[in-house]
Amino acid sequence: MYFNSIQYIFFLPLVVILFYLTPFRIRWLLLLATSYYFYMCWKPELIIIIIFSTLINYLTALMLDRDQEKKKKRFYLIASLVINLGMLIFFKYLGFLVEAIQDIFDYNVRDQVSPAMYFIAPIGISYYTLQSLGYILDVYYGKRKAEKHPGIFALYVAFFPIILSGPIERSTRLLPQLRNSAQIRLNSVNIEEGIKLIIWGYFLKLVIADRTGIYVDAVFGNLSRHGGITYAATIVLYSFQIYSDFAGYSSIAIGSARLMGFDILRNFNRPYFSATVGEFWTRWHISLSGWLRDYVFNPLAFMFVRLFESRTSFRTTFFTYSLTTFLTFFLCGFWHGARWTFLVWGCIHGIYLILEHLFRRNGKRRILNILLTYIMILFTWIFFRSLSMHDAFHIIKVIFTHPGSLYIPFDSDVVAPVYAVLGILILLLTEIKQEFFNNLFSFTSNKNEYVRMIAYGLVVFLILYLGVFDGSQFMYFKF
Amino acid sequence: MNSSETFIQLTNIFKNVLRNPGLDLRRDSDINNTPGWDSFNHIRIILAIEKHFGVKFTTSEIQSWNNVGDLTDTLEKKLV
Amino acid sequence: MNTQLKTVILKGLIFILILVTFDFGLGLVARFLFFTQKSGKFYRMRRVFYHNTSDLIIFGSSRSSHHYHPGVLDSMLVVNSYNAGAQGQQILYQKTVQKILLQNSRPRLIILDISPDWLYESEDAYDNLSELRPFWFRYPDIISPVLSIHSKLQKFWLYSKAYQYNSTIIHILYYFVKPQPDLKGYVPLMHVMTPQENLIENRVDSLKAAGDAGKQIDPVFENAFREFLLTAREKKINVVMICSPDLRIAVARNNLSLQRIMELGHLYNIPLLDFTHDPYMLDHKEFFNDTYHLNDAGARAFSVIVSRKLKDWL
């Protein structure tokens, strides 16, 4: 079930209504059942993997709580890490690893590995694995106690609004809310906020992401035919496509949860208005960057710091920071998928961050910094979108050597990019207003609820009038 | 050292590392709601605290903190 | 009933009311704007559906819209012809348009310009049917079933006026700024293909054809084809199928889809004129805009050739 499928339009209101009608104390059961149902709409068999993962992590956490002896705790932690990451790597990356070994060692592995082993990654595995690992680490570090209620924990892993593509939640934020679902009462603020987030999410997805995708896919599907200007324009469009697609999805997820009174982490905060790449990572895919910072960067950084015991000079700190940052972003790239281009994308971001700490920019010219940062990020999107390093280098080379002319498709296909640009303009105007003029011209935050409802109604009309309805998947499902 | 004294010294360290003399540090301050406190400065802050108070934190302790309040509590236990 | 519940329900109803009002009101504006178009593909569709008094109608995809010159046909055959070709549209579309057209008029002859792979499975064939949505309100019984084949809940969405006019605003603006001349449905192409382009395109086309190797025939398309032929026969309207000139080397004469089409032609006694490799046209590469579309000069030349053959059926 995709968020933009007809089924979800029926599924969600039904679940919300049932949620408020269900006796408080078994709300968790309703949510768990509907979450499993939601997930099984993809491929019923895959639920086994989730249940297995849930079981392992549930038990591990209980044992971590029970056994305070350091050696034992470490053992449980490592066992759990091996199993969780092992499953993730096995399902997602087996194909890539085989190819990589083949490329690097020139050893023909492919013939040894039967096709059946190239599984299609169970959807959502990258997300719920991290969310579960976060929980295990929280228990290990003593941030919270293990969740004793298996049903609540199972729900934490499988909660339908966020299981497929995040936001990746924290055990300290989500588990208490799920435990207290019995206290949630129907109130119009939650309903309105939820609907507002969902409407905005659909606008981003159907009007901007899907439209832009048509043109971007057309150009990338025919790479040798275009000139530099087209590539440049396409990457700009792509930057909006990926943003709208993912932010739209997240908005629908957060809004869906909000309808039932749950508060889920914000995932995007007008990322292209960042003055530095460092700031970008506090505004883009916030749940992931926060997770990496707290569970990868920090422990690694302090481990390195201990290695350089007495030397606490700025230079050593900087070196530690650089090494850890680079490794973290390398992993970030790798998490996105089994492709060299993702790795390179991650590494470039790592390098950007290191350089930014080396050469601090003039903070006073914010607008210029925003533009510069945007261009730096555009460059990385070339790699992110390209299917191979060869394609990425080809694009970069052509942008600087053969400008050519802008590709404008035939007759009716010219429609797609123009709609995309129209949608992007609406998005930019909205975000510029939110970023710089937040107190003026409030439509959706207006005090008068009728003004607000009219604003929502207008957006819904625009979605129906300008959106793409021929069915296409959210991009981030591939992760 | 009583706890408000500790907290004042802590705040000074933060102000120093973050180069923000007007910083208003509270128990619920964390990396997300405090401007200038990023992952780079996080390392420097913790190292500076360790140096100033003559303590050493374990990775587990560092990872267990949700905010400055938790940090202060751990610190005070070590100072006793 | 507690007050919060009442509030939520009441506000919900008001919101739905606002949505419906917007959809209805702004939707009517969208419809009005849509029907102000005086040129372009939607205008051409309107001309075919409403008040069509032509004796000779040419159905087909973009190939037909670029290949048949009504001016030439009219003067050589002494008829009133109209080119109903539509880019990207395959047999499901043609069948639907034929049904609507025949409600109001009776041409003497229908030309169906065939693309050889029309019967092969194709997502685009279904997706492009969305161009019929703006006309659904006039012909729900004919258009609804066709749109519902692929997506059963189209019926549900079509009640929204905004949805009916989805994706039309850009066309409206485009044709307002750059009106197309009204050439009775004909859309001229002006480019003359260079030999280099020919080479490149043929390479691309071969790759595509190789990719098409395992394709299956979609039974829905086949049935639609039969329907098209039978409907014409029932109404005693002559039909001639034509394959226009095609430079694509990779277009296999022996592809399954074309074979089936030829079988159906034999079955229903519908003649098929095959100009795919017409020597005169192929000799004059300057008639081609790209490997499978004629330019204006080519269309005129081709229309002359076709007219000579069509005399027998008029």
Side-chain angles (χ1 to χ4, degrees), chain A residues 209-262:
Chain A
D210 285 357
R211 286 285 178 205
T212 340
I214 297 173
Y215 183 84
V216 171
D217 289 348
V219 171
F220 271 88
N222 238 331
L223 269 185
S224 45
R225 280 182 156 190
H226 299 292
I229 293 188
T230 304
Y231 287 140
T234 306
I235 292 296
V236 171
L237 284 180
Y238 180 72
S239 73
F240 286 104
Q241 178 189 354
I242 188 164
Y243 170 52
S244 319
D245 198 283
F246 203 14
Y249 181 95
S250 297
S251 192
I252 297 175
I254 298 171
S256 303
R258 187 61 184 273
L259 286 176
M260 295 178 282
F262 296 107

Side-chain angles (χ1 to χ4, degrees), chain C residues 263-276:
Chain C
E263 280 166 26
L264 289 171
H266 279 135
L267 187 57
Y268 298 115
N269 248 318
I270 309 277
L272 171 67
L273 304 178
D274 190 352
F275 295 101
T276 316

Side-chain angles (χ1 to χ4, degrees), chain A residues 6 211 411 419 449 464 467, chain C residues 11 87 157 166-169:
Chain A
I6 297 276
R211 286 285 178 205
D411 189 27
Y419 274 110
E449 62 190 355
L464 288 169
Chain C
K11 288 201 190 159
Q87 183 183 11
W157 286 122
N166 176 284
S167 303
T168 55
I169 186 69

Side-chain angles (χ1 to χ4, degrees), chain A residues 272-291:
Chain A
Y272 294 133
F273 287 91
S274 308
T276 62
V277 178
E279 187 183 343
F280 176 77
W281 283 101
T282 64
R283 292 186 180 227
W284 174 275
H285 205 168
I286 298 171
S287 66
L288 176 68
S289 62
W291 194 97

Side-chain angles (χ1 to χ4, degrees), chain A residues 6-7 9-10 186-189 191-192 195 199 211 222 225 410-415 418-419 422 449-450 452-458 460-461 463-470, chain C residues 4-5 7-8 11 14-15 18-19 22-23 26-27 30 33 41 66 87 127 130-131 133 153 156-157 160 162-163 165-172 174-175 180 189 200-201 204:
Chain A
I6 297 276
Q7 295 145 295
I9 310 278
F10 287 118
L186 177 63
N187 83 56
S188 57
V189 173
I191 303 287
E192 182 177 340
I195 291 181
I199 291 178
R211 286 285 178 205
N222 238 331
R225 280 182 156 190
F410 232 138
D411 189 27
S412 58
D413 293 339
V414 73
V415 171
V418 183
Y419 274 110
L422 186 63
E449 62 190 355
Y450 294 111
R452 296 201 302 268
M453 284 205 249
I454 290 178
Y456 304 150
L458 190 58
V460 172
F461 175 80
I463 294 173
L464 288 169
Y465 192 46
L466 302 174
V468 174
F469 284 90
D470 297 314
Chain C
Q4 268 294 348
L5 184 60
T7 318
V8 170
K11 288 201 190 159
I14 296 180
F15 182 54
I18 291 181
L19 283 181
F22 262 130
D23 185 70
L26 293 179
L33 284 175
K41 74 173 176 187
H66 298 310
Q87 183 183 11
D127 287 344
S130 58
E131 289 181 356
R133 282 191 219 137
L153 289 151
F156 171 71
W157 286 122
S160 153
Y163 180 76
Y165 296 95
N166 176 284
S167 303
T168 55
I169 186 69
I170 299 296
H171 285 96
I172 296 170
Y174 184 82
Y175 296 128
Q180 282 181 351
L189 292 172
I200 296 176
E201 304 231 350
V204 174

Side-chain angles (χ1 to χ4, degrees), chain B residues 7 24-34 37 66-70 72:
Chain B
F7 199 77
D24 176 21
L25 197 70
R26 301 170 189 213
R27 282 190 65 91
D28 65 7
S29 296
D30 64 29
I31 196 170
N32 293 315
N33 62 23
T34 308
W37 186 354
N66 283 309
N67 50 36
V68 170
D70 294 342
T72 317

